[in-house]
């Protein structure tokens, strides 16, 4: 099957799988990650664009956050899909590896992907957790998973292991300190670092305003 047909069929498949999502992991997230990743790849002049686009499209079809904590569910589902399209084994494995590597796993847990394609998809996914859309996604996710917006009595925690991070039920505001504000220096590519700079400032300004209003200073 031609690469363009594989991509088109995958888009339709992912759209169907993610239909109705209200946690910030909907098809529009997937599309933004794919577009951003291709943009980064083009500017950096790195990575196989077929693998990048496939991995970006498939990276959230069965995220551990919704698959009962199972980190293998996503890569496995992507492999099954690509197998059904007779995509060559090496490409299928590369895509599954990227999906396994891409996710944030806690402040103290290193997650640098092993390939340029993985680094680019990870950067794009993380950029979509920052800035104005990142803020919207964080509160959508928080609402969906029954987290409080803000509980000042509970301090943010820098999780040292994936298990600890997975189990955490912290507030959405704490999530800013536990993940979102830590992302800028973790970007793998120069292109993403530049975009992250702007989005980081949006997060900081937003938090400042949130705290002002919370404390009735504004
Ligand atoms: P990752 O796999 O790196 O977590 P995703 O594409 O799955 O990336 O994005 C996770 C999204 O869910 C982000 O927008 C993030 O802000 C949100 N999220 C994850 N955990 C929390 C939390 N505890 N509180 C609020 N939002 C969260
Ligand atoms: Ni994602």
């Amino acid at each position: 099957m031609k690469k363009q047909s594989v991509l088109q069929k995958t888009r339709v498949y992912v759209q169907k799988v993610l239909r109705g999502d209200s946690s910030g992991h909907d098809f529009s997230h997937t599309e933004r990650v794919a577009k951003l990743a291709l943009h980064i790849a083009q500017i950096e002049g790195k990575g196989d664009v077929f693998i990048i686009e496939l991995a970006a499209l498939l990276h959230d079809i069965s995220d551990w956050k919704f698959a009962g904590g199972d980190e293998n569910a996503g890569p496995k589902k992507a492999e099954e899909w690509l197998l059904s399209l007779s995509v060559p084994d090496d490409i299928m494995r590369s895509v599954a590896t990227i999906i396994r590597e891409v996710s944030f796993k806690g402040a103290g847990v290193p997650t640098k992907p092993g390939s340029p394609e993985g680094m680019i998809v990870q950067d794009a996914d993380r950029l979509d957790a920052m800035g104005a859309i990142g803020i919207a996604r964080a509160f959508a996710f928080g609402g969906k998973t029954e987290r409080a917006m803000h509980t000042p009595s509970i301090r943010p925690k820098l999780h040292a292991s994936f298990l600890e991070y997975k189990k955490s039920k912290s507030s959405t505001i704490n999530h800013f300190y536990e993940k979102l504000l830590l992302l800028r220096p973790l970007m793998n590519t120069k292109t993403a670092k530049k975009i992250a700079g702007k989005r980081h400032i949006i997060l900081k300004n937003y938090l400042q305003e949130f705290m002002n209003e919370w404390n009735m200073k504004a």
Side-chain angles (χ1 to χ4, degrees):
M1 197 185 293
K2 287 215 174 76
K3 286 181 179 176
Q4 279 316 317
S5 315
V6 170
L7 288 169
Q8 190 47 30
K9 279 196 178 357
T10 302
R11 270 180 220 118
V12 173
Y13 166 69
V14 175
Q15 206 160 10
K16 208 168 101 197
V17 172
L18 298 179
R19 185 167 295 150
D21 175 274
S22 57
S23 74
H25 292 79
D26 52 13
F27 185 63
S28 71
H29 163 64
T30 292
E31 268 191 313
R32 286 191 302 273
V33 173
K35 278 191 189 143
L36 257 172
L38 291 175
H39 169 76
I40 296 169
Q42 199 201 356
I43 295 187
E44 297 278 322
K46 271 194 213 133
D48 178 314
V49 290
F50 183 55
I51 292 178
I52 289 176
E53 189 164 1
L54 271 183
L57 287 172
L58 292 165
H59 85 278
D60 268 337
I61 48 170
S62 187
D63 192 279
W64 58 265
K65 291 190 259 339
F66 303 102
D70 181 0
E71 301 148 57
N72 289 315
K76 205 169 143 232
K77 196 163 171 177
E79 275 188 1
E80 280 162 9
W81 167 250
L82 295 174
L83 205 62
S84 78
L85 297 181
S86 306
V87 166
D89 263 22
D90 54 335
I91 294 183
M92 185 186 75
R93 272 196 298 272
S94 301
V95 170
T97 302
I98 294 172
I99 298 171
R100 200 168 276 116
E101 290 174 332
V102 95
S103 218
F104 186 81
K105 297 184 173 73
V109 187
T111 49
K112 209 166 189 67
S115 67
E117 290 83 7
M119 290 187 197
I120 288 171
V121 175
Q122 185 182 67
D123 279 359
D125 191 30
R126 290 179 169 181
L127 284 173
D128 205 52
M130 302 176 74
I133 289 184
I135 295 168
R137 292 184 66 223
F139 284 100
F141 185 91
K144 185 78 189 175
T145 56
E146 299 178 341
R147 287 157 203 264
M149 286 202 301
H150 182 38
T151 32
S153 59
I154 302 173
R155 307 300 307 155
K157 224 177 144 194
L158 297 179
H159 303 102
S161 74
F162 186 29
L163 191 65
E164 229 185 280
Y165 178 69
K166 248 193 220 183
K167 285 195 313 203
S168 158
K169 259 278 180 185
S170 61
S171 71
T172 299
I173 289 294
N174 275 0
H175 185 66
F176 280 67
Y177 297 96
E178 292 168 355
K179 172 183 172 189
L180 307 185
L181 292 170
L182 309 177
L183 294 175
R184 182 174 55 175
L186 295 177
M187 293 294 154
N188 304 298
T189 64
K190 254 198 185 141
T191 309
K193 261 191 194 126
K194 212 161 135 192
I195 306 173
K198 186 173 166 222
R199 296 189 182 189
H200 184 83
I201 293 170
I202 294 170
L203 295 176
K204 293 270 280 196
N205 290 343
Y206 175 80
L207 272 180
Q208 185 64 53
E209 284 297 320
F210 186 101
M211 293 310 164
N212 283 346
E213 292 177 19
W214 188 276
N215 298 312
M216 286 193 281
K217 278 192 193 149

